[in-house]
Amino acid sequence: LSLKEVRKEMDAIDASRIGMVSKCAECGLCVGACPTKNIILNDHRPTLGPKCIKCFICVEICPNGALGILRK
């Protein structure tokens, strides 16, 4: 896949599909990295608000791979 094709696929993903795929270490890196300040740690896990721009920085920065794209 080309970068253009990957970006198109990422743009088509509903932001509500970003979620927990493994255990969160509560490091807060995703909270600090989010450019829209759309993530809070709530009940020992990151919670995304309505301002997600689908940059996926939270998914990429997580050292445990706790955040990911949930399959339908």
Side-chain angles (χ1 to χ4, degrees), residues 34-52:
C34 180
T36 61
K37 306 299 180 213
N38 190 50
I39 304 172
I40 60 169
L41 285 179
N42 185 19
D43 196 27
H44 309 289
R45 60 188 302 151
T47 302
L48 280 71
K51 300 182 296 185
C52 180

Side-chain angles (χ1 to χ4, degrees), residues 12-26:
I13 292 173
D14 181 355
S16 68
R17 289 182 46 206
I18 299 171
M20 299 297 298
V21 295
S22 67
K23 186 169 171 47
C24 175
E26 299 180 62

Side-chain angles (χ1 to χ4, degrees), residues 1-16:
L1 291 174
S2 71
L3 182 58
K4 187 176 181 178
E5 290 169 321
V6 170
R7 188 69 234 182
K8 184 178 179 182
E9 186 176 324
M10 290 170 68
D11 285 343
I13 292 173
D14 181 355
S16 68

